[in-house]
């Protein structure tokens, strides 16, 4: 399936006429945007204790510093995608990179907790502008189906590897040169990405439509932010009641958003997107991918440090096979999808994730199983994430921007809700007589998530006669 690519916009006309654009460089650059932005979700986890101690803040402030990035990232993704539709995806991507640099500077030089938290919020907003627009542009620079699948494999591998690598990189950089380096390093990265985007990434023509759906965008942002924040609060039993109240706000705003969308001239989420089977299937698979893997790896991280007494850096190295094999799985996805549909490939990938998560149950007896188990899960995630993105972006041209926003929002929600639910199960059952209480029960839950999603995808593919 070929994509209609670029009408030249004013953004393109200002580029120097001698610029030679390379699709390969464009793909690498856009995947680098994905890697850097997703990395921000986890890179401060290992560094948080050093950050708070240096700023004279309470250790309990970790519950504010860590999740605010994901809150703003997840909440603003759909709005970022539609801004790209309206003003041009390359222009919005460049704006996101500029905000990313400014927010990194503020966080790196933060004199206190308030500035650090504000910087993290702005970094999440910058990621929300950058990631969906970068995914939309990735489709624009790869017209041929085979090239597009290869690019999506690289994209999926970048995101999945970034989320797991953040746990290791945050600890290593903090131990080596201090926590502020996590933000200083973003400045040259942002500058390099801006230059390469300008030289090698084409733009898509802005889509002219009715007024921007600002009320819908705000309601969806509040609903997603409340869902992510409420889920993170549920991870601690002492905040469960407040977390439940925040989740109720998410439900109310989601209902209000649905009502507003019915009346909007140009809704944030068009009815055609909700009715597109490929897009909704891809989004559901993306949510399941992150819910199943992020929850299992997070429980493993906590268990390695609390039960095994390993440092954050050593724990990160133990989990490194997850990131390595995500790349391997993603690289094989294109070949698998030559023989099977993306939907079937995603189902198989999630079945492999279930096997890896299930192997973690042997970790209390054989700790050496942890790198093997997370490696198997990473292999499955690589397959499934490429297939989910391929399925979800196989939509008509007018829905490409919306698809990018929905897929990334689903992935963020999967991480937030999956990790919260599984950690709540772990903490609620520890030191009880419940069978497999504590981390093993968490791994059972993450295995069940993967198996259920795999069964649904394989059954859905068979019912539609596509494999």
């Amino acid at each position: 399936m070929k994509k209609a690519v670029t009408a030249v916009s004013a953004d393109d006309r200002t580029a120097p006429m001698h610029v030679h654009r390379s699709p390969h460089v464009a793909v690498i650059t856009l995947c680098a945007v994905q890697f850097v932005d997703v990395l921000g979700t986890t890179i401060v986890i290992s560094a948080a204790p050093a950050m708070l101690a240096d700023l004279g803040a309470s250790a309990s402030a970790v519950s504010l510093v860590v999740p605010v990035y994901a809150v703003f990232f997840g909440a603003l993704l759909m709005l970022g995608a539609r801004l790209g539709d309206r003003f041009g995806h390359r222009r919005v991507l460049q704006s996101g990179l500029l905000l990313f640099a400014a927010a990194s500077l503020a966080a790196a030089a933060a004199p206190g907790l308030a500035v650090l938290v504000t910087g993290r919020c702005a970094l999440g907003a910058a990621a929300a502008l950058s990631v969906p627009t970068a995914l939309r542009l990735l489709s624009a620079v790869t017209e041929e189906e085979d090239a597009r699948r290869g690019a999506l494999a690289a994209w999926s591998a970048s995101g999945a590897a970034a989320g797991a690598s953040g746990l290791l990189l945050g600890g290593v950089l903090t131990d080596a040169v201090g926590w502020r380096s996590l933000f200083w390093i973003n400045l040259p990265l942002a500058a390099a990405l801006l230059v390469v985007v300008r030289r090698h990434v084409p733009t898509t023509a802005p889509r002219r439509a009715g007024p921007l759906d600002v009320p819908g965008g705000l309601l969806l942002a509040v609903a997603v932010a409340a869902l992510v924040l409420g889920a993170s609060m549920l991870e601690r039993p002492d905040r469960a009641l407040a977390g439940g109240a925040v989740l109720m706000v998410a439900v109310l705003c989601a209902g209000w958003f649905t009502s507003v969308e019915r009346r909007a001239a140009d809704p944030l989420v068009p009815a055609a997107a909700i009715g597109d089977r490929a897009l909704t299937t891809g989004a559901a698979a993306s949510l399941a991918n992150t819910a199943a893997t992020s929850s299992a790896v997070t429980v493993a991280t906590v268990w390695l440090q609390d039960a095994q007494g390993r440092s954050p850096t050593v724990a990160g190295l133990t989990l490194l096979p997850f990131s390595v094999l995500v790349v391997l799985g993603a690289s094989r996805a294109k070949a698998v999808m030559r023989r099977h549909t993306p939907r079937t490939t995603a189902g198989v990938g999630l079945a492999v994730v279930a096997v890896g998560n299930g192997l973690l149950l042997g970790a209390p007896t054989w700790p050496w199983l942890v790198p093997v188990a997370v490696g198997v899960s990473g292999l499955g995630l690589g397959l499934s994430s490429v297939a989910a993105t391929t399925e979800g972006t196989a939509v008509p041209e007018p829905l490409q921007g919306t698809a990018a926003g929905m897929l990334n929002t689903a992935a963020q929600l999967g991480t937030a809700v999956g990790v919260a639910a599984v950690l709540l199960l772990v903490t609620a059952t520890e030191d009880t007589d419940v069978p497999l209480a504590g981390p093993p029960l968490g791994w059972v839950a993450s295995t069940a998530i993967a198996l259920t999603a795999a069964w649904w995808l394989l059954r859905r593919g068979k019912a539609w006669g596509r494999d």
Side-chain angles (χ1 to χ4, degrees):
M1 179 179 68
K2 289 190 177 183
K3 303 282 179 194
V5 190
T6 53
V8 177
S9 74
D11 186 35
D12 247 357
R13 288 195 294 268
T14 60
M17 296 300 293
H18 65 275
V19 168
H20 172 69
R21 285 181 173 145
S22 165
H24 299 295
V25 174
V27 168
I28 293 170
T29 303
L30 295 169
C31 290
V33 170
Q34 159 88 327
F35 183 89
V36 170
D37 284 328
V38 175
L39 190 70
T41 307
T42 56
I43 196 168
V44 302
I45 293 176
S46 300
M51 287 180 181
L52 298 175
D54 186 47
L55 296 174
S58 167
S60 63
V62 68
S63 61
L64 183 62
V65 171
V66 172
V68 290
Y69 183 96
V71 168
F72 277 75
F73 188 9
L76 298 174
L77 274 165
M78 282 303 304
L79 190 58
R82 294 311 299 275
L83 287 172
D85 285 341
R86 178 60 55 85
F87 300 110
H89 292 280
R90 190 178 73 169
R91 182 179 289 114
V92 174
L93 172 56
Q94 290 172 316
S95 299
L97 290 171
L98 287 171
L99 178 58
F100 177 77
S104 296
L105 179 61
L113 181 64
V115 176
L116 177 63
V117 171
T118 301
R120 286 276 292 165
C121 293
L123 281 166
L129 291 175
S130 303
V131 170
T133 50
L135 178 55
R136 173 66 187 88
L137 289 165
L138 193 74
S139 295
V141 298
T142 51
E143 296 185 33
E144 297 298 331
E145 183 69 19
D146 199 54
R148 179 172 170 269
R149 287 186 172 182
L152 291 176
W155 172 272
S156 300
S158 299
S165 300
L167 298 169
L168 173 61
L169 292 176
V172 169
L173 286 173
T174 300
D175 290 341
V177 288
W179 67 267
R180 293 182 189 272
S181 65
L182 304 183
F183 303 107
W184 286 122
I185 198 172
N186 290 339
L187 299 180
L189 283 175
L193 288 172
L194 277 166
V195 170
V196 182
V197 165
R198 183 67 179 170
R199 290 184 60 86
H200 292 283
V201 177
T203 189
T204 53
R207 181 170 64 85
R208 300 188 183 279
L212 188 65
D213 183 16
V214 175
L218 291 176
L219 282 170
L220 182 61
V222 173
V224 174
L227 181 59
V228 174
L229 182 61
S232 68
M233 293 172 72
L234 287 180
E235 294 171 16
R236 294 180 56 176
D238 59 323
R239 296 186 178 181
L241 187 60
V246 175
L247 290 177
M248 281 303 300
V249 172
V251 172
L252 292 173
C253 286
W256 193 0
F257 167 75
T258 302
S259 176
V260 167
E261 290 296 276
R262 292 197 190 103
R263 300 190 301 270
D266 184 23
L268 191 72
V269 183
I274 301 299
D276 191 288
R277 288 181 171 181
L279 177 50
T280 53
T281 300
S286 294
L287 187 147
N289 286 337
T290 55
T293 55
S294 296
S295 58
V297 171
T298 300
V299 171
T301 303
V302 174
W303 179 79
L304 285 169
Q305 295 182 56
D306 290 351
Q308 298 292 298
R310 303 187 189 183
S311 69
T313 299
V314 173
L317 287 169
T318 304
L319 299 174
L320 189 59
F322 180 84
S323 299
V324 173
L325 288 178
V326 161
V327 177
L328 178 60
S331 69
R332 297 300 304 157
K334 186 168 73 170
V336 174
M337 284 189 289
R338 290 195 185 107
R339 300 188 300 273
H340 304 285
T341 65
R343 193 174 296 119
T344 297
T345 304
V348 171
L350 277 162
V352 175
V353 168
V355 172
N357 290 354
L359 286 174
L360 285 168
L361 289 167
T365 304
W366 304 290
W368 57 266
L369 261 180
V370 173
V372 176
V374 298
V376 173
S377 294
L379 185 68
L381 177 61
L383 278 174
S384 187
S385 59
V386 175
T389 305
T390 302
E391 178 80 2
T393 54
V395 297
E397 182 69 23
L399 293 180
Q400 283 290 317
T402 301
M406 285 182 63
L407 290 170
N408 284 288
T409 300
Q412 288 299 309
L413 291 180
T415 295
V417 176
V419 170
V422 171
L423 282 183
L424 181 62
L425 182 65
V426 169
T427 55
T429 59
E430 275 186 315
D431 302 321
T432 69
D433 294 330
V434 174
L436 299 174
L441 194 57
W443 291 321
V444 168
S446 62
T447 301
I449 293 170
L451 277 177
T452 302
W455 172 82
W456 179 78
L457 285 163
L458 293 170
R459 183 173 178 271
R460 196 172 176 88
K462 184 177 180 181
W464 290 356
R466 288 188 56 187
D467 212 34

